[in-house]
Amino acid sequence: MIVDGLRLEPALFAEVYRQAADQLLAATRLDQSAPVMEQLSAGLDAHFDYFAANRHTVLAANRVLAGDPVIQAIITGELAELRRRLLEATVLGDGPTHLVSAALTSWLVFVRVLCVDWLTNESFTRAELHGMCVGALKGALGAVLDLDALTGTEGGL
């Protein structure tokens, strides 16, 4: 496999990507003492920082090797861990758990796909990326939770 002009063995790339995914998970720890929106905003910023810092690896994994079962297993595990953390660290798990879990998984995939588009096309700003991600989360969770009650404010997240 050739990535950015370098020949890379699939097993070696999978290990590099696994380490990058571990770095993302380490960078996206949530602070349970902070308000929900602050936790989510900080998590998004860490996610965007990770994607920007690992641009070539992220693009290779999500475009060139998207169908590779080893890479897919890493991505699936990463998404599952991020969803678990969101449910555990926030009061998001207080709603109908299966619906909230499904909404979060879908939102995390949305964030990943949008980040890849942001890196690939550079057709919108990081602030616009952040706004779209927060808006999508509001839409997804608003269908299954009372966002005003969740955040203690009118207008939800």
Side-chain angles (χ1 to χ4, degrees):
M1 162 185 52
I2 299 184
V3 176
D4 290 333
L6 299 172
R7 181 160 179 70
L8 213 59
E9 294 300 318
L12 176 60
F13 181 81
E15 186 53 37
V16 167
Y17 191 68
R18 185 179 326 278
Q19 289 177 10
D22 289 345
Q23 290 171 358
L24 170 64
L25 293 174
T28 55
R29 301 240 180 252
L30 298 174
D31 176 6
Q32 296 180 16
S33 66
V36 172
M37 190 55 217
E38 285 181 29
Q39 290 183 64
L40 294 171
S41 188
L44 281 172
D45 286 336
H47 205 84
F48 301 159
D49 290 344
Y50 159 81
F51 268 60
N54 295 284
R55 174 190 204 103
H56 300 296
T57 303
V58 167
L59 291 177
N62 288 276
R63 292 174 43 206
V64 178
L65 294 173
D68 182 88
V70 174
I71 298 300
Q72 278 305 305
I74 295 168
I75 292 171
T76 299
E78 178 186 302
L79 292 172
E81 177 60 16
L82 290 170
R83 182 198 66 231
R84 185 195 66 74
R85 287 180 184 180
L86 284 167
L87 287 169
E88 187 177 279
T90 67
V91 292
L92 296 177
D94 291 345
T97 306
H98 63 286
L99 292 175
V100 172
S101 181
L104 286 175
T105 298
S106 298
W107 177 70
L108 287 165
V109 170
F110 172 85
V111 169
R112 174 177 289 279
V113 170
L114 197 57
C115 284
V116 168
D117 187 74
W118 172 59
L119 292 175
T120 302
N121 300 312
E122 299 178 359
S123 58
F124 47 90
T125 67
R126 182 177 169 137
E128 290 169 324
L129 172 66
H130 192 279
M132 285 187 281
C133 291
V134 170
L137 183 60
K138 286 179 181 181
L141 290 178
V144 296
L145 291 174
D146 179 355
L147 295 180
D148 292 342
L150 175 67
T151 61
T153 61
E154 192 169 322
L157 298 170

